[in-house]
């Protein structure tokens, strides 16, 4: 007997729900049709389903996303970095308590207590014909962030290989839910040929028909729910052999619109706004935002960062502000609207000479109009790079707090975590630094406003 098995899969939705109703309607109809033909099917997600830049996700701290996955009848998911490092320890620990699906992540461990019950290194699915499918999952390495949040993250490829070696004699097919990115997926395919299919994510790569590496099929469906993946496998029971694996992708924008799509999106926005409609502080004046020079809002935010971290100086890009603060009562919703980014503050230790170099680099004329994508940034353009408490005088000497700096002394610069990943300031990557987790920029602003405004 040759059995045909279907796997529908999604990845890197980042709480973009524009196509969610139609894609889930399509998947449901397809699964029903396959079931009538006697062909089993499963539904998988490969992480970063949630993104706290979305007000519904923010208001429910990801529980709303889990509810959606439940309602769509997902079978197995893994977590991405947006689940792993943008929630505080307790919120992640309890995130999947109400899940009706399995969560597989082989390389995440609590530092202070036993793992939550939902964390499993793998699960085994079984079809009605007895075919056993081992599903292992792992998430990307952000060790400094996980450590600050009371988790231990281990090498994902090594964790996957250990699990595969453990289960390969117990199952007929092995799938890997990989929130590692395309480079690690390609390496894993070469290092662990016992895996049949690596369902990929994290780097938002798109393989319309998959990619074969040493008989391991790799998949990837881009980002933001633009595509749904459909993996078809044929298993020969007589030979006990997988004889076919084929990937196709469905462009969700081309699927027929389903009834009340607009109402669904509006209901999420309304629910999120209602939950976040909680007063935080009151302002006595307007704080305007500007993307190409300093503003009332940027000066206020610099005070927030400097007071919160006790740093010597501050630097951030003006494009992080998506709006200003009006006069009067400011709610959680208002603050989220202007600072939706899942970005943390970080203090970096630099010498006076290194800070002077940073100041020179900050004048890059190409950056203000840069349409920045990723790194946690959820805005439109980069904007001017603003500096506070450090500058150059007329003699080209570095001033810190109005005083001429000692070029050999170590100073503390507070900035945004996205600047530590090597793209803008390569020297930050190796410098000594402290990340302030789990607070986002909007939390720092909120805390300052409660105390001082």
């Amino acid at each position: 007997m040759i059995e045909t098995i279907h796997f529908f899969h999604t990845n890197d939705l980042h709480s973009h729900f524009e196509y969610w109703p139609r894609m889930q309607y399509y998947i449901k109809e397809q699964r029903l049709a396959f079931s009538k033909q006697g062909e089993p099917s499963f539904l998988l997600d490969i992480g970063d389903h949630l993104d706290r830049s979305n007000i519904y996700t923010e208001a429910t701290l990801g529980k709303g996303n889990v509810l959606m996955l439940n309602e769509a009848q997902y079978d197995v998911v893994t977590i991405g970095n947006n689940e792993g490092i943008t929630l505080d320890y307790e919120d992640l620990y309890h995130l999947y308590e109400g899940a009706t699906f399995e969560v597989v992540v082989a390389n995440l461990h609590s530092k202070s207590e036993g793992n939550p019950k939902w964390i499993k290194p793998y699960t085994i699915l079984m079809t009605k014909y007895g075919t056993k499918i081992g599903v292992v999952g792992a998430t990307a390495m952000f060790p400094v962030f996980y450590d600050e949040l009371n988790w231990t993250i281990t090498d994902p490829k090594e964790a996957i290989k250990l699990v595969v070696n453990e289960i390969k004699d117990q199952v007929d097919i092995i799938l890997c839910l990989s929130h590692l990115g395309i480079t690690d997926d390609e390496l894993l395919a070469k290092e662990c040929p016992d895996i049949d299919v690596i369902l990929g994510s994290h780097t938002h790569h798109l393989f319309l028909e998959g990619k074969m590496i040493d008989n391991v099929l790799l998949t990837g469906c881009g980002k933001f729910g633009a595509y749904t993946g459909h993996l078809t496998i044929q298993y020969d029971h007589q030979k006990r052999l997988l004889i076919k694996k084929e990937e196709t992708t469905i462009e969700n924008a081309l699927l027929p619109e389903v009834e009340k799509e607009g109402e669904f999106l509006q209901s999420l926005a309304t629910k999120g706004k209602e939950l976040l409609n909680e007063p935080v502080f009151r302002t006595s004046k307007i704080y305007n935002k500007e993307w190409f020079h300093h503003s009332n809002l940027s000066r206020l935010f610099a005070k927030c960062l400097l007071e919160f971290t006790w740093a010597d100086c501050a630097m951030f890009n003006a494009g992080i502000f998506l709006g200003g603060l009006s006069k009067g009562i400011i709610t959680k919703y208002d603050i989220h609207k202007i600072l939706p980014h899942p970005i943390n503050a970080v203090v970096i230790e630099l010498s006076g000479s290194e800070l002077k170099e940073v100041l020179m680099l900050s004048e890059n004329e190409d950056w203000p109009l840069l349409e920045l994508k990723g790194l946690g940034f959820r805005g439109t353009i980069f904007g001017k790079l603003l500096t506070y408490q450090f500058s150059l005088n007329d003699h080209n000497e570095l001033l810190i707090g109005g005083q001429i700096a000692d070029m050999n002394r170590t100073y503390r610069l507070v900035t945004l975590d996205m600047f530590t990943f090597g793209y803008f300031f390569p020297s930050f990557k190796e410098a000594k630094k402290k990340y302030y987790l789990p607070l986002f920029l909007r939390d720092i602003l909120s805390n300052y406003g409660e105390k001082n405004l």
Side-chain angles (χ1 to χ4, degrees):
M1 171 192 168
I2 294 177
E3 180 183 12
T4 301
I5 311 167
H6 302 272
F7 301 88
F8 292 94
H9 55 95
T10 55
N11 63 272
D12 296 291
L13 203 79
H14 286 275
S15 292
H16 281 254
F17 304 124
E18 294 84 353
Y19 301 129
W20 183 259
R22 70 179 68 176
M23 66 192 284
Q24 293 305 327
Y25 178 82
Y26 171 82
I27 292 169
K28 183 178 179 181
E29 290 295 299
Q30 290 291 302
R31 295 186 72 183
L32 183 60
F34 290 134
S35 178
K36 289 178 179 178
Q37 297 171 21
E39 298 178 357
S41 65
F42 300 93
L43 181 53
L44 317 168
D45 186 81
I46 304 90
D48 276 2
H49 187 275
L50 69 80
D51 192 310
R52 290 181 60 185
S53 61
N54 177 280
I55 62 168
Y56 178 69
T57 296
E58 173 73 357
T60 63
L61 291 174
K63 289 281 191 177
N65 294 70
V66 174
L67 180 61
M68 284 186 183
L69 293 166
N70 283 346
E71 291 173 345
Q73 298 183 321
Y74 274 73
D75 295 290
V76 190
V77 311
T78 193
I79 72 165
N81 45 290
N82 272 270
E83 287 87 6
I85 62 174
T86 72
L87 295 168
D88 71 23
Y89 175 80
E90 288 297 326
D91 289 329
L92 177 57
Y93 196 93
H94 299 289
L95 178 62
Y96 295 104
E97 286 180 344
T100 56
F101 48 83
E102 303 276 15
V103 185
V104 291
V105 51
N107 63 326
L108 184 66
H109 311 277
S110 171
K111 288 170 61 177
S112 60
E113 57 187 308
N115 273 351
K117 291 180 181 179
W118 55 262
I119 287 185
K120 297 179 180 179
Y122 68 92
T123 190
I124 297 177
L125 304 173
M126 186 181 296
T127 72
K128 63 181 180 180
Y129 302 108
T131 304
K132 294 180 179 178
I133 304 147
V135 184
V136 58
T139 195
M141 288 279 285
F142 289 87
V144 175
F145 288 79
Y146 277 109
D147 186 62
E148 285 283 341
L149 291 167
N150 201 33
W151 297 97
T152 297
I153 191 83
T154 60
D155 184 286
K157 294 199 301 297
E158 293 306 314
I160 289 167
K161 287 188 281 187
L162 283 172
V163 171
V164 169
N165 283 332
E166 179 184 343
I167 68 171
K168 64 183 181 181
D169 294 329
Q170 306 172 38
V171 300
D172 304 299
I173 298 165
I174 296 179
L175 305 183
C176 175
L177 308 189
S178 165
H179 199 88
L180 310 185
I182 181 56
T183 300
D184 279 334
D185 287 354
E186 291 174 345
L187 290 171
L188 184 61
K190 293 178 180 294
E191 294 172 12
C192 193
D194 289 313
I195 297 173
D196 294 297
V197 182
I198 299 173
L199 297 132
S201 61
H202 186 49
T203 45
H204 301 171
H205 50 284
L206 174 63
F207 294 147
L208 293 175
E209 297 179 347
K211 178 180 180 179
M212 194 71 75
I213 294 183
D214 294 351
N215 203 39
V216 178
L217 179 63
L218 276 57
T219 77
C221 290
K223 62 180 180 178
F224 301 167
Y227 292 87
T228 298
H230 179 191
L231 169 67
T232 303
I233 281 178
Q234 288 189 336
Y235 183 74
D236 189 321
H237 280 260
Q238 185 175 354
K239 297 180 180 178
R240 297 188 58 80
L241 189 67
L242 193 159
I243 60 172
K244 179 183 178 182
K245 45 191 174 185
E246 181 179 82
E247 167 77 354
T248 60
T249 48
I250 300 97
E251 188 171 355
N252 293 319
L254 302 181
L255 293 174
E257 184 176 343
V258 299
E259 188 178 357
K260 297 183 178 180
E261 275 190 357
E263 291 179 25
F264 168 76
L265 293 173
Q266 186 57 51
S267 70
L268 296 182
T270 300
K271 180 67 172 177
K273 188 172 182 179
E274 287 175 354
L275 291 171
L276 293 176
N277 191 30
E278 181 181 325
V280 181
F281 56 82
R282 180 188 292 271
T283 62
S284 58
K285 65 179 182 180
I286 294 172
Y287 289 90
N288 68 301
K289 65 94 178 169
E290 301 286 348
W291 281 347
F292 302 111
H293 46 85
H294 298 265
S295 65
N296 288 337
L297 184 56
S298 69
R299 285 184 280 270
L300 171 66
F301 188 63
K303 288 181 183 178
C304 299
L305 290 176
L306 290 167
E307 181 178 290
F308 178 67
T309 62
W310 292 93
D312 299 298
C313 47
M315 179 180 71
F316 51 87
N317 58 305
I320 61 170
F321 305 114
L322 303 195
L325 293 176
S326 57
K327 182 179 177 180
I329 294 174
I330 303 300
T331 66
K332 287 184 176 181
Y333 172 75
D334 296 323
I335 297 171
H336 183 274
K337 190 165 60 173
I338 69 167
L339 284 170
H341 328 278
I343 291 176
N344 307 102
V346 58
V347 167
I348 305 174
E349 295 188 10
L350 300 166
S351 67
S353 59
E354 288 171 326
L355 265 178
K356 186 174 181 179
E357 183 182 348
V358 167
L359 202 56
M360 304 293 284
L361 285 172
S362 73
E363 296 296 325
N364 189 318
E365 295 181 356
D366 295 329
W367 288 355
L369 290 173
L370 178 67
E371 295 183 8
L372 182 61
K373 308 250 184 227
L375 304 177
F377 185 71
R378 301 295 185 260
T380 308
I381 60 172
F382 186 83
K384 180 178 174 59
L385 200 52
L386 308 175
T387 58
Y388 291 89
Q389 295 290 86
F390 71 120
S391 59
L392 296 178
N393 65 14
D394 293 338
H395 303 291
N396 203 36
E397 296 171 311
L398 178 67
L399 302 179
I400 296 181
Q403 303 295 316
I404 296 176
D406 180 343
M407 303 308 282
N408 295 314
R409 178 185 156 187
T410 297
Y411 296 92
R412 301 173 75 245
L413 169 69
V414 58
T415 187
L416 314 183
D417 64 16
M418 69 179 187
F419 293 136
T420 66
F421 301 137
Y423 180 80
F424 294 97
F425 299 96
S427 63
F428 286 4
K429 201 166 186 180
E430 303 302 325
K432 184 178 180 181
K433 47 193 170 284
K434 173 177 173 54
Y435 293 93
Y436 287 79
L437 281 73
L439 298 182
F440 289 147
L441 304 181
R442 56 180 173 270
D443 300 315
I444 297 172
L445 175 61
S446 295
N447 292 344
Y448 181 90
E450 284 184 274
K451 296 174 185 176
N452 299 284
L453 296 180

